[in-house]
Amino acid sequence: MVISVASGQGGTGKTLVATSLALSLSADSKVQLLDCDVEEPNDHVFLRPEIAGSKAVSILVPRVDEAKCTYCGKCAQVCAYHATAVLGNHVLTFPQLCHGCGACCYLCPEKAITEESRQIGVVEWGHSDALGFVQGRLAVGEAMAPPVIRKVKEYANKDDTVIIIDVPPGTSCPVVEAIKGSDLCLLVTEPTPFGLNDLALAVETVRKLGIACGVVLNRVGVGDNKVEEYCEQESIPILLTIPLDMEIARLYSRGIALVAGIPLSKSSFLQLFDKIAEIIDERSRSPER
Ligand code: SF4
Ligand code: SF4
């Protein structure tokens, strides 16, 4: 079972939910947490995992042999990401914009382009007691998160394991890369106008991917009830509410997972998992799926 934990914006409590859900389940089930928030992975702060290994993540970027190049401009025309440009008798490449698709190399009429490997990040794996852990780290200054996320997901152990994916914030390509293939996406938000706006965008993305979703409403008591109204209108279940509580904020600021600091909260996360499992089960039996 693959459960992704996403939010339309950072700072809504996504990490709190992902780590506490994973820790709650790991006492009785095989669970793996994948931190795909590769620009700023911070699940490790709460889990303090033992890292057992790491591997570089690289993509292939073009290298132009100007001795063979006729400056025809084909490579710049085919690059959808503006990662090459031909200016007079110069070919410029911008490796940080390159997605490594290989189109320029394949289509260069003079075979003047070869590909070279370029490291953009690293994937690390290990465990925190019984909980399996994998995280990706995008190198400083790099923009290409999806290949690092793909690599993290390659380490998912799908045999009898609940996989929890901590998704990057937002609704862009890295988010899509992280949540695709999930059985359910939990959307963590807060009851404020910003929370509602970002939730609506996140719901749109998840629905386009055909993935079931449910909401975790964090910091209840801080704003209004517009998020609840929206969820009701859209038939999106609110699967867990977390109150606005100074103790929770204190634990978070000290890098302590919610279920570690308030053990009684474990039952709420186990109930959350039961609701998720029910939705996934119902959906798997639904003919409209
Ligand atoms: S497609 Fe090949 S020959 Fe044409 S400008 Fe690019 S590198 Fe040069
Ligand atoms: S490999 Fe793809 S993304 Fe990179 S420069 Fe060539 S065409 Fe553009």
Side-chain angles (χ1 to χ4, degrees):
M1 181 189 298
V2 182
I3 304 164
S4 48
V5 184
S7 64
Q9 60 176 331
T12 53
K14 179 174 62 68
T15 299
L16 177 152
V17 172
T19 52
S20 284
L21 181 60
L23 287 168
S24 303
L25 295 172
S26 66
D28 301 307
S29 313
K30 278 175 75 180
V31 185
Q32 202 182 26
L33 177 62
L34 311 183
D35 193 348
C36 287
D37 191 354
V38 300
E39 284 185 56
E40 212 172 335
N42 62 354
D43 290 350
H44 66 95
V45 173
F46 299 88
L47 301 177
R48 298 178 178 86
E50 272 182 43
I51 297 296
S54 67
K55 197 168 181 188
V57 181
S58 303
I59 59 170
L60 293 174
V61 298
R63 183 190 185 93
V64 178
D65 178 354
E66 296 218 13
K68 293 183 182 170
C69 177
T70 57
Y71 309 106
C72 68
K74 185 93 180 166
C75 52
Q77 285 163 21
V78 299
C79 182
Y81 307 101
H82 307 293
T84 66
V86 180
L87 302 174
N89 281 358
H90 293 287
V91 182
L92 304 177
T93 61
F94 305 99
Q96 278 157 332
L97 299 180
C98 175
H99 282 51
C101 70
C104 55
C105 178
Y106 184 72
L107 292 167
C108 170
E110 308 301 330
K111 300 291 170 228
I113 302 179
T114 51
E115 291 175 305
E116 61 184 7
S117 183
R118 176 165 183 276
Q119 184 174 345
I120 56 167
V122 68
V123 60
E124 298 169 324
W125 59 89
H127 60 91
S128 172
D129 295 327
L131 173 64
F133 178 71
V134 187
Q135 71 178 359
R137 288 179 188 275
L138 190 65
V140 174
E142 294 294 339
M144 286 295 302
V148 182
I149 293 170
R150 274 197 292 278
K151 191 53 81 177
V152 171
K153 290 176 81 174
E154 280 177 21
Y155 284 80
N157 173 14
K158 295 198 175 160
D159 303 334
D160 301 317
T161 302
V162 178
I163 294 165
I164 296 172
I165 298 176
D166 191 345
V167 176
T171 52
S172 56
C173 298
V175 176
V176 172
E177 194 62 54
I179 64 176
K180 71 184 181 192
S182 299
D183 295 302
L184 183 137
C185 182
L186 276 180
L187 298 169
V188 184
T189 190
E190 55 185 24
T192 62
F194 286 126
L196 175 58
N197 178 66
D198 294 330
L199 173 65
L201 293 173
V203 166
E204 211 177 297
T205 304
V206 172
R207 283 186 168 160
K208 274 188 188 145
L209 292 170
I211 295 169
C213 66
V215 163
V216 173
L217 196 50
N218 191 18
R219 300 193 193 105
V220 170
V222 75
D224 52 32
N225 63 352
K226 295 278 194 300
V227 170
E228 281 110 318
E229 286 174 11
Y230 167 80
C231 289
E232 199 176 328
Q233 273 165 24
E234 295 290 325
S235 305
I236 300 167
I238 296 178
L239 301 176
L240 175 69
T241 57
I242 302 171
L244 178 67
D245 184 329
M246 278 306 287
E247 181 57 16
I248 295 175
R250 245 183 243 120
L251 289 169
Y252 192 84
S253 68
R254 289 162 55 205
I256 298 172
L258 179 54
V259 289
I262 307 178
L264 278 178
S265 65
K266 183 177 167 184
S267 63
S268 303
F269 284 95
L270 293 177
Q271 282 168 21
L272 168 64
F273 179 71
D274 288 344
K275 291 177 192 169
I276 292 170
E278 212 173 291
I279 293 172
I280 293 172
D281 185 46
E282 261 174 37
R283 206 172 142 90
S284 71
R285 285 187 277 117
S286 160
E288 285 171 23
R289 193 172 181 251

